[in-house]
Amino acid sequence: MSNVKPLRIFMTGVGGQGTLTATTLLAKAALLRGLPVTSGEIHGMAQRGGVVESTLLIGLKSPKIGPGEADILLGFEPLESLRALTYLRRDGLVFSSSEAIPPLSVATGQHACPDLDAVRARIAEWTGKAWYIPCQTIGIQAGAAQSGNIALLGAAAEGGAFPFGPDALEEAIKADMKPKIAEINLKALELGRKAVA
């Protein structure tokens, strides 16, 4: 393990976006390349659209990521990207969806929330290395909105965020999913790659 460069990835989204599926696929892709992986997850009200967080660490034994420690932040929802920003080290990488899923209190007009421009501005104060892609739209183009999570993985892989390429993710998808679902997710992966190419 000492020869592997440590990498800390923090992922966040809301229930139903496939945050944990993305974590599992990313872990399997790393394992396919012989990398030691540790992961953890936190989810409570995920089935009601609550926050879902997960961590994936390569070359490290603990699944925990403290404030300012993550090398990469994958945000499947822009407000969640903003909320989790403090876990990212200064000048770390951010790959985020550009499409919001408003919390219930915002959807019902009880509270306001920052728009994407405000989210981008705040993240830009933290790091100049941020990319935004329309995950839900890409997922729908691929065949299922839920595959937007894989599109974000594709964008990050294309951006060189991981110590392996998109081919490892392709292998993990083919090995882990039924053929029809895999086909949709492989298309989402490709569209996500093109979104940042």
Side-chain angles (χ1 to χ4, degrees):
M1 187 177 283
S2 61
N3 295 331
V4 177
K5 182 180 177 184
L7 186 69
R8 296 172 176 87
I9 303 168
F10 192 97
M11 287 172 264
T12 185
V14 298
Q17 288 193 292
T19 302
L20 301 181
T21 298
T23 305
T24 300
L25 279 175
L26 194 57
K28 288 183 177 179
L31 289 170
L32 285 169
R33 294 298 177 263
L35 298 168
V37 174
T38 303
S39 68
E41 58 191 54
I42 298 173
H43 49 97
M45 298 295 284
Q47 292 179 339
R48 295 185 179 204
V51 177
V52 179
E53 295 177 347
S54 63
T55 58
L56 189 140
L57 297 93
I58 296 173
L60 296 160
K61 292 182 178 179
S62 170
K64 294 182 179 178
I65 295 178
E69 290 184 343
D71 301 293
I72 302 167
L73 171 60
L74 298 178
F76 300 97
E77 201 284 330
L79 286 178
E80 293 306 318
S81 299
L82 180 61
R83 193 184 54 74
L85 188 61
T86 56
Y87 285 98
L88 186 71
R89 66 174 167 78
R90 292 282 180 173
D91 215 29
L93 306 180
V94 174
F95 290 88
S96 175
S97 175
S98 60
E99 298 173 323
I101 299 175
L104 182 60
S105 63
V106 173
T108 58
Q110 294 174 330
H111 293 97
C113 68
D115 61 17
L116 182 60
D117 288 340
V119 171
R120 285 176 179 254
R122 179 66 186 98
I123 290 175
E125 292 172 3
W126 197 271
T127 178
K129 300 174 183 175
W131 293 264
Y132 301 87
I133 69 167
C135 290
Q136 293 174 66
T137 298
I138 290 175
I140 291 168
Q141 288 174 348
Q146 294 86 350
S147 65
N149 61 345
I150 306 303
L152 195 66
L153 292 184
E158 186 69 25
F162 309 132
F164 47 81
D167 56 326
L169 288 166
E170 290 178 16
E171 289 179 39
I173 290 170
K174 290 176 183 174
D176 199 54
M177 296 181 172
K178 293 178 181 177
K180 186 175 181 181
I181 303 298
E183 183 181 341
I184 292 170
N185 283 293
L186 288 170
K187 188 173 181 182
L189 181 73
E190 184 63 24
L191 291 172
R193 292 178 62 189
K194 289 179 179 176
V196 295

